[in-house]
Amino acid sequence: MVATLLHEIPLQGGDVTDGVVRVGDTVRRPASTSTPAVHALLRHLEAVGFGGAPRVIGMDRLGREILTYVPGTTGLRLDSVTDDALCGLGVLLREYHDATAGFALTPNGWAGGSNDDKAPEVIGHCDLTPENVVFRSPGQPHALIDFDLARPTTRLFDIVTTLRHWAPIADPVDRHPLLRNLDIGARLRLFCDAYGVPPRERRRLLELSRIRFHRSYTAMRTRAAAGGNWAKMWAGGAGERIRRAAAWQDVHEDELHAHLV
């Protein structure tokens, strides 16, 4: 056991889960109440041939889940904020959603969180931040990681959640410098074109984004009250950033909508 621990490399980047480490070609993560549901999903993705997610190996003697390590880079860099990278992410998310077809959309065992009012269509990732998308070659997203917040939802809700980080739908003061001066409306359209979002859903995208801002604010505030990393995120201004993003969208809604329709 000591020899194994000496070879553990902490993996940084996520906001919610502590204690994630790399051991050789595997990743060890603390188990949660949603782990059985996530493992069932990952095994389904493997069975249908979706290559853009880690594989489940099992559990270790410390009760941690063991997943395959997906090599590559994460986070925002010059090559990951290009139009080509955004389109690649749209294609990858569509392939992932399509791969969840046939998987049970029951709510049991999944992480809680904000959601759409429509009936679930897919198992959404629901947390596609730049830290959770792996690039294997410059500008080409290869895989999705960290499915801790995955849950049954609609395609559009997961798209809205993704665009919150990647368009991004955010006040410029809160954007990463590489994303600060981009044409957000044009990027919304590029992503929707790459994914294949139908016209009727594009007309609803900003409405659902507004709903998500309101509900994610409430959900995060509730989780923060329980302490832990959610409390740290809240204390670090997560609620204020959500409010600013919603206000920015309201001001720019007409121009964003024009790009979408």
Side-chain angles (χ1 to χ4, degrees):
M1 179 63 67
V2 174
T4 300
L5 293 176
L6 290 176
H7 291 87
E8 293 188 354
I9 303 171
L11 296 177
Q12 306 297 326
D15 291 319
V16 178
T17 306
D18 287 328
V20 182
V21 298
R22 178 181 176 183
V23 181
D25 292 329
T26 70
V27 172
R28 313 296 173 99
R29 298 171 53 88
S32 70
T33 55
S34 65
T35 295
V38 171
H39 282 194
L41 172 64
L42 293 178
R43 290 189 172 105
H44 169 82
L45 295 176
E46 181 178 10
V48 299
F50 178 71
R55 304 308 189 201
V56 177
I57 297 176
M59 307 294 290
D60 70 9
R61 288 178 291 177
L62 297 179
R64 301 175 300 185
E65 59 174 331
I66 310 174
L67 306 173
T68 56
Y69 174 75
V70 180
T73 57
T74 61
L76 293 175
R77 303 170 313 284
L78 284 173
D79 65 308
S80 66
V81 300
T82 65
D83 288 350
D84 285 345
L86 185 69
C87 289
L89 182 58
V91 170
L92 181 61
L93 184 61
R94 174 61 185 263
E95 292 173 347
Y96 161 68
H97 284 166
D98 289 349
T100 70
F103 190 82
L105 298 178
T106 53
N108 296 334
W110 295 104
S114 56
N115 218 324
D116 198 347
D117 289 326
K118 290 190 173 183
E121 302 164 334
V122 297
I123 302 296
H125 184 284
C126 297
D127 193 29
L128 280 188
T129 65
E131 291 73 29
N132 289 337
V133 178
V134 178
F135 287 74
R136 183 165 288 180
S137 59
Q140 290 302 312
H142 167 72
L144 317 177
I145 58 174
D146 191 352
F147 286 76
D148 285 357
L149 297 183
R151 53 189 180 269
T153 188
T154 61
R155 290 175 181 264
L156 191 62
F157 186 87
D158 209 16
I159 289 168
V160 164
T161 300
T162 301
L163 289 171
R164 163 80 173 96
H165 302 289
W166 287 92
I169 304 176
D171 189 295
V173 72
D174 295 317
R175 296 178 199 164
H176 187 283
L178 291 174
L179 298 170
R180 194 159 289 153
N181 298 313
L182 299 177
D183 186 336
I184 306 306
R187 285 174 66 81
L188 294 179
R189 185 181 184 94
L190 277 172
F191 187 95
C192 288
D193 286 347
Y195 183 98
V197 180
R200 68 182 181 279
E201 292 292 274
R202 296 188 193 207
R203 295 188 182 96
R204 185 173 176 257
L205 191 150
L206 295 176
E207 172 193 349
L208 184 56
S209 176
R210 185 180 301 105
I211 292 171
R212 181 189 174 276
F213 280 133
H214 173 72
R215 292 178 179 175
S216 64
Y217 180 92
T218 301
M220 286 197 70
R221 182 177 59 188
T222 300
R223 285 169 165 164
N229 282 346
W230 289 104
K232 294 177 184 177
M233 291 168 62
W234 191 260
E240 288 88 346
R241 288 191 291 275
I242 293 172
R243 292 297 199 205
R244 284 194 293 268
W248 180 88
Q249 178 181 306
D250 285 344
V251 170
H252 296 275
E253 177 137 359
D254 288 345
E255 62 191 79
L256 297 176
H257 187 72
H259 278 282
L260 288 168
V261 300

